[in-house]
Amino acid sequence: MAMEERHKQIKEGAGRDESGLNREFIEMMEKWGFPLVLGLALIAGGYAAYNWYTRKADERNDAAYADLDTAAVSGNPTQLERVAGDHGKSTAVPIEAHIFAAEIHMEAARTGVPIGEKLDKDNKLPEGKSFLTDEQKKAELGKAEEQFKAALAMTNDSFGQTDSAIGALTGLASIAEDRGELDKAKDFYQQAVAKAKSQKIDALVPILQKRIDTLDSLKAPIKLYAAADLPGAVAKPETVIQGITGKTATGETINLGSPGATPGQPGVIQIPGGGTLTPIAPPTGAPPLPPVTSPTPAPSKPAEPAKPAEPAKPGNP
């Protein structure tokens, strides 16, 4: 009986403890239940909103890059500028669009081929089209400069955009080189070197530095060499006709290329019956050819003497 009584007391104590815990929970919920539920709802709602925003941002980025690809394939700088304006600064799309547009303008300025036109297999434009004039090339170069500057202004110092900034700076340096503004070109290259060093892009530093070191070579004008001045070229030989004689129909000899009294001066052709002709002087320093005369016919072989007739034998009638 003692054991049963003890078990009964344990059960009654546990029931009282459980009842006390339930009352405490109910009192807590009455006091903090609404704020707690509201906080949990806000957390769940914020998480859902974050997922929705992230999904929409990814969709916008995908659409922006799709528009960029379409505009880049078209090769139309106006379309690329529109893409840059439509997609703001949320991605690198506007920066890349400006750089692509700048490169198209620069290509037109350097080749003289109008934007949107292609050369045929004979390097000719379609009928009715013409290459850009010098003024039009300068205008294209100016548009390229504007696009590179727009791209550079949109970049920041983050690692992901440093490559784009360096690309815009080297583009501006190339334009300055085309214009002969080597000091400006050097400044742009130095800015590019500084950005590469700041982000530890060590592979680009020697390449950019080499461009700086070779700028002075652009000061000397390009020399065009004749084919004979190129290494391994052989001068074209010149044939000089001099010292040739001939005969007239009457058998008189005339000299067609006798040297003059002074070396290098033309000779005089004597014409039977009176008059002279002066041949064109050979180039100075050209060695005269040996005289060429009409071949002398070989002497004919003398006829052998006739054999004497044999005497008649005795006894013949």
Side-chain angles (χ1 to χ4, degrees), residues 171-281:
L172 291 170
S174 296
I175 292 174
E177 290 177 0
D178 291 347
R179 292 172 173 170
E181 300 171 344
L182 302 185
D183 290 338
K184 285 186 178 181
K186 183 177 182 180
D187 181 63
F188 287 130
Y189 283 133
Q190 288 175 338
Q191 292 182 50
V193 169
K195 285 188 174 293
K197 289 181 177 180
S198 67
Q199 294 296 338
K200 308 297 182 183
I201 310 178
D202 299 331
L204 286 179
V205 174
I207 298 174
L208 296 170
Q209 188 60 50
K210 184 177 180 179
R211 293 193 178 186
I212 295 174
D213 297 338
T214 56
L215 279 175
D216 289 339
S217 64
L218 301 179
K219 295 179 180 179
I222 299 175
K223 182 179 179 181
L224 299 178
Y225 292 90
D229 296 333
L230 297 176
V234 178
K236 184 178 179 181
E238 296 183 359
T239 302
V240 179
I241 300 176
Q242 188 175 7
I244 298 177
T245 62
K247 288 184 178 295
T248 66
T250 59
E252 297 180 70
T253 301
I254 58 173
N255 191 336
L256 299 177
S258 60
T262 304
Q265 296 299 320
V268 177
I269 298 175
Q270 301 292 336
I271 300 178
T276 60
L277 290 176
T278 302
I280 299 174

Side-chain angles (χ1 to χ4, degrees), residues 98-156:
H98 283 302
I99 291 178
F100 285 155
E103 290 174 347
I104 293 173
H105 285 299
M106 181 180 288
E107 182 72 12
R110 288 181 170 177
T111 63
V113 178
I115 294 175
E117 301 295 339
K118 301 293 183 181
L119 298 176
D120 61 16
K121 61 180 182 180
D122 297 325
N123 291 328
K124 293 181 180 180
L125 289 171
E127 186 176 356
K129 300 295 182 179
S130 59
F131 288 95
L132 299 178
T133 63
D134 290 341
E135 290 300 321
Q136 289 172 328
K137 291 179 182 180
K138 290 180 180 178
E140 291 293 343
L141 210 58
K143 293 177 182 178
E145 182 181 27
E146 292 175 1
Q147 294 302 310
F148 278 132
K149 287 183 176 180
L152 182 62
M154 298 180 72
T155 59
N156 54 40

